[in-house]
Amino acid sequence: MGSHLCERLLASGDRVICVDNFLTSSKDNIKHLLENKNFVLVEHDIINPLYIEEKINEIYNLACPASPVHYQKNPIRTVKANTIGVINILGLARAKQAKILQASTSEVYGDPLVHPQTEDYRGNVNTIGPRACYDEGKRVAETLCFDYHRTHGLKIKVIRIFNTYGPRMSADDGRVVSNFIVQALKNQTLLIDGDGSQTRSFCYVDDLVEGIIKMMATPDDILGPVNLGNPDEFTIKQLAELVLKLTGSSGEIKYSGQFREDDPMQRRPDITKAKKVLGWEPKIKLEEGLEKTIKYFKAQL
Ligand code: UDP
């Protein structure tokens, strides 16, 4: 998502300082930007303080592994990115008097008891489960943003991103869309956790980036949180079948019979607020977005 956002900002004439520790991302995704005179790359992990000399007007904080496989691999580091890391970036924003947009997540709703999820729903998170490093981390990151706003008058914007997919995901990302596409293209078995009845709502990356840009451009009194995602909801079984159809794969579907611990069973954003505040809604249907993503992975493989 970061590389798509960088491209979009550069295209509108902005200068971009891209900060990444490349823990889960690939430098290949931004190598075409390195020659752009308005693009600067800083290799850095935000859990260490970040000093930037030049003037900064806006900060987009997307820093954190977002795939369950990745964020659970080193859970303490995930918590650090969302606490120490966010404090460092809020400090930078304060020093630069910059506006900051924090990428929060639908995971703050945990395994939701309210459906679809509205921003005023406070969630159902297991504080001691394997997803908590990310869920609770992102929750306290929201808290920090609002405390910096209340205490220091910092200009903040909080968005809650629902499942997003598209070109430049890594093949070993571990998330369902990339897993299924890669398995299908290799004519391998698509392994579904549980019975495939759990749902997700998938947003194509270009739509999401458009929403992020619109949120940053809102007046200072719009703080969020605002849900950003595609409200078209699918079961994981439906997704697997669609991927098989679109790839023409001879791969089969298998069920593990067991859901992941604390796996959200139903997830769909209520985007009424985004429509009203940003005049935004996703345009790209799942089938169209999957076709673009399949094309990308075909070239990669
Ligand atoms: N999932 C699956 N097979 C996979 C990867 C994921 O059945 O190869 C399921 C997973 O158990 C979850 C859903 O797909 O119910 C979405 O998982 P993902 O890791 O993409 O992200 P999440 O929305 O859970 O953060």
Side-chain angles (χ1 to χ4, degrees):
M1 198 185 298
S3 68
H4 293 274
L5 179 62
C6 288
E7 263 173 14
R8 175 71 172 68
L9 291 168
L10 289 167
S12 60
D14 286 332
R15 180 171 163 76
V16 177
I17 303 170
C18 165
V19 180
D20 204 330
N21 62 358
F22 296 103
L23 182 67
T24 58
S25 53
S26 162
K27 240 183 226 176
D28 280 348
N29 290 342
I30 50 149
K31 73 167 188 268
H32 61 294
L33 304 177
L34 291 171
E35 280 163 25
N36 190 317
K37 63 174 183 3
N38 283 327
F39 183 81
V40 179
L41 172 64
V42 177
E43 271 197 65
H44 180 84
D45 189 325
I46 62 156
I47 66 176
N48 300 307
L50 175 64
Y51 301 100
I52 304 266
E53 282 196 11
E54 59 185 287
K55 186 168 160 45
I56 303 169
N57 299 318
E58 297 175 344
I59 299 175
Y60 295 84
N61 183 30
L62 315 182
C64 186
S67 151
V69 176
H70 287 147
Y71 68 65
Q72 289 173 29
K73 203 159 155 186
N74 191 337
I76 296 165
R77 194 170 176 171
T78 300
V79 174
K80 280 187 185 169
N82 287 308
T83 50
I84 301 167
V86 170
I87 290 171
N88 284 334
I89 295 304
L90 287 166
L92 178 69
R94 203 179 155 214
K96 296 288 175 182
Q97 295 183 314
K99 192 162 46 164
I100 178 163
L101 179 144
Q102 168 65 15
S104 190
T105 167
S106 53
E107 284 282 331
V108 299
Y109 302 122
D111 184 8
L113 305 175
V114 164
H115 194 75
Q117 292 82 55
T118 46
E119 289 86 350
D120 56 5
Y121 175 51
R122 293 186 183 174
N124 176 37
V125 173
N126 175 7
T127 61
I128 55 170
R131 298 176 86 99
C133 59
Y134 187 71
D135 301 12
E136 293 295 354
K138 287 286 187 179
R139 285 169 71 99
V140 81
E142 289 193 5
T143 308
L144 283 165
C145 289
F146 278 81
D147 282 338
Y148 267 74
H149 171 73
R150 281 187 288 257
T151 309
H152 301 301
L154 195 71
K155 292 176 186 167
I156 60 155
K157 310 274 174 199
V158 175
I159 53 165
R160 292 184 179 153
I161 302 175
F162 284 64
N163 294 64
T164 301
Y165 68 98
R168 304 197 189 132
M169 293 177 91
S170 66
D172 62 358
D173 183 73
R175 271 180 280 204
V176 70
V177 172
S178 43
N179 272 10
F180 286 176
I181 292 178
V182 171
Q183 287 157 352
L185 289 174
K186 292 181 172 171
N187 294 311
Q188 293 172 345
T189 301
L190 277 61
L191 188 63
I192 294 184
D193 298 320
D195 60 4
S197 62
Q198 69 273 44
T199 70
R200 293 292 187 275
S201 308
F202 301 99
C203 188
Y204 188 68
V205 63
D206 290 358
D207 278 334
L208 212 288
V209 166
E210 199 53 40
I212 294 181
I213 299 272
K214 286 197 162 175
M215 182 66 181
M216 187 60 112
T218 52
D220 291 347
D221 61 333
I222 305 291
L223 312 177
V226 175
N227 286 340
L228 290 183
N230 191 317
D232 293 344
E233 184 180 358
F234 296 84
T235 64
I236 296 303
K237 179 172 183 271
Q238 285 173 322
L239 175 74
E241 287 165 351
L242 186 56
V243 169
L244 286 181
K245 188 187 97 178
L246 296 177
T247 50
S249 172
S250 60
E252 290 173 1
I253 293 178
K254 277 212 174 107
Y255 297 88
S256 75
Q258 194 155 24
F259 290 107
R260 293 180 181 177
E261 196 176 339
D262 296 331
D263 193 35
M265 286 295 112
Q266 245 191 333
R267 183 184 282 162
R268 172 156 59 100
D270 182 318
I271 59 163
T272 309
K273 195 169 173 186
K275 280 186 187 164
K276 192 167 157 227
V277 176
L278 311 177
W280 172 89
E281 67 182 309
K283 295 193 182 79
I284 300 169
K285 293 279 166 204
L286 181 61
E287 189 157 332
E288 187 189 346
L290 282 179
E291 268 165 359
K292 290 173 195 269
T293 313
I294 289 166
K295 199 170 150 200
Y296 168 79
F297 277 112
K298 250 186 198 162
Q300 291 291 306
L301 296 172

